[in-house]
């Protein structure tokens, strides 16, 4: 894209606020970009799901004064397992970049770790029963991949915190993901990543998860 156009819009906005800025041309921006790349020796590190997860977990640990390290350690291990599944079978895209995939993985793993109730990360438009069925499908297939056997009984874990505390945990998680992430964004990321995980795990196992065909009709209009 033409960065000079965007810089022009920014300059106009700053001038409206009484801040003087110089006009910027495409040539000026190209020169600055080239200088930056040369100073970095062209060594650019692209952000990945795992790098986002590490940053988010570090922030959450600071916000909670490291009082939840055992649970957070488990969450980190679980999300990294899921991240590798997504990288292999459902890589990031422009529609669902690594940062959003990391958001969704953390939300789902917080529920698995009993730090949040499942309903806290459910998009408002989604039926609770359908959302629970999707979550349980993922849990069952993940258990099979990690333990190598089918769980005798899989259910939605009960949050260990009362309502007020759980809402505070949810707010701290949202803050850890960045000030631009609101609750609806987090819930949408959780849904999108849950659908990605379901597809990836079904592909690994080579089977259709129980109830998936019913879910397809019930969740019509939701991209998979």
């Amino acid at each position: 894209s033409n960065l000079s156009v965007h810089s022009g819009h920014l300059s106009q906005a700053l001038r409206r606020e009484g801040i003087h800025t110089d006009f910027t041309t495409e040539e000026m921006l190209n020169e600055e970009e080239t200088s930056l790349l040369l100073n970095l020796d062209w060594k650019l590190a692209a952000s990945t799901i795992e790098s986002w997860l590490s940053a988010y977990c570090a922030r959450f640990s600071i916000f909670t004064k490291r009082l939840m390290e055992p649970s957070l350690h488990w969450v980190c291990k679980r999300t990294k397992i899921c991240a590798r599944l997504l990288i292999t079978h459902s890589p990031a895209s422009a529609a669902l970049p690594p940062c959003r995939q990391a958001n969704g993985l953390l939300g789902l793993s917080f529920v698995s770790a009993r730090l949040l109730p499942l309903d806290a990360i459910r998009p408002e438009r989604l039926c609770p029963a359908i959302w629970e069925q999707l979550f349980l499908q993922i849990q069952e297939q993940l258990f099979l991949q990690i333990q190598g056997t089918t769980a005798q009984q899989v259910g939605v874990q009960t949050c260990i915190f009362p309502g007020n505390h759980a809402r505070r945990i949810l707010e701290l998680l949202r803050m850890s993901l960045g000030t631009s992430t609101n609750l609806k964004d987090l819930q949408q990321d959780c849904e999108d990543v849950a659908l990605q995980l379901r597809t990836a795990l079904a592909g690994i196992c080579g089977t259709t998860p129980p109830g998936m065909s019913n879910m397809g009709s019930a969740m019509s209009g939701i991209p998979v």
Side-chain angles (χ1 to χ4, degrees):
S1 61
N2 192 330
L3 291 179
S4 62
V5 175
H6 299 290
S7 66
H9 293 160
L10 176 59
S11 296
Q12 291 175 8
L14 291 173
R15 284 195 290 271
R16 284 196 296 269
E17 297 298 323
I19 302 173
H20 173 75
T21 61
D22 295 326
F23 288 98
T24 305
T25 65
E26 191 70 18
E27 290 74 16
M28 294 168 62
L29 291 171
N30 288 338
E31 289 178 4
E32 290 297 325
E33 183 181 70
T34 301
S35 175
L36 177 63
L37 290 171
L38 290 174
N39 287 330
L40 293 174
D41 197 24
W42 291 83
K43 295 177 180 178
L44 304 179
S47 298
T48 64
I49 305 178
E50 291 193 348
S51 65
W52 283 109
L53 287 170
S54 296
Y56 293 155
C57 287
R59 291 178 191 170
F60 187 83
S61 179
I62 292 171
F63 290 151
T64 55
K65 299 181 179 179
R66 305 188 185 281
L67 295 176
M68 303 178 65
E69 285 302 294
S71 295
L72 191 58
H73 179 69
W74 186 92
V75 166
C76 290
K77 289 180 63 177
R78 171 60 68 94
T79 53
K80 286 182 179 179
I81 292 172
C82 294
R84 294 185 186 108
L85 289 173
L86 291 182
I87 291 171
T88 305
H89 299 277
S90 297
S93 63
L96 196 60
C99 58
R100 288 192 54 207
Q101 289 182 312
N103 294 352
L105 288 179
L106 274 180
L108 293 167
S109 294
F110 266 54
V111 174
S112 298
R114 303 176 63 193
L115 300 177
L116 288 175
L118 179 60
D119 200 57
I121 60 170
R122 175 182 61 84
E124 291 183 4
R125 62 181 176 77
L126 199 58
C127 169
I130 297 297
W131 181 234
E132 180 176 327
Q133 185 180 4
L134 174 59
F135 181 80
L136 290 178
Q137 284 182 359
I138 296 170
Q139 291 293 97
E140 182 177 357
Q141 294 299 322
L142 275 176
F143 189 92
L144 177 61
Q145 291 301 312
I146 296 171
Q147 302 295 337
T149 183
T150 303
Q152 293 182 349
Q153 183 177 3
V154 177
V156 177
Q157 294 83 348
T158 302
C159 179
I160 60 176
F161 297 113
N164 290 339
H165 287 78
R167 283 189 288 273
R168 180 57 179 162
I169 293 295
L170 180 61
E171 176 61 16
L172 290 173
L173 173 60
R174 189 196 63 76
M175 290 171 55
S176 301
L177 304 181
T179 55
S180 62
T181 302
N182 58 42
L183 180 57
K184 288 186 177 180
D185 291 334
L186 173 58
Q187 291 170 336
Q188 185 61 55
D189 291 344
C190 288
E191 179 189 355
D192 290 343
V193 170
L195 291 168
Q196 273 197 332
L197 277 175
R198 183 190 69 179
T199 301
L201 288 165
I204 293 172
C205 298
T207 59
T208 300
M212 186 171 173
S213 57
N214 294 333
M215 285 187 64
S217 58
M219 300 179 74
S220 58
I222 299 175
V224 179

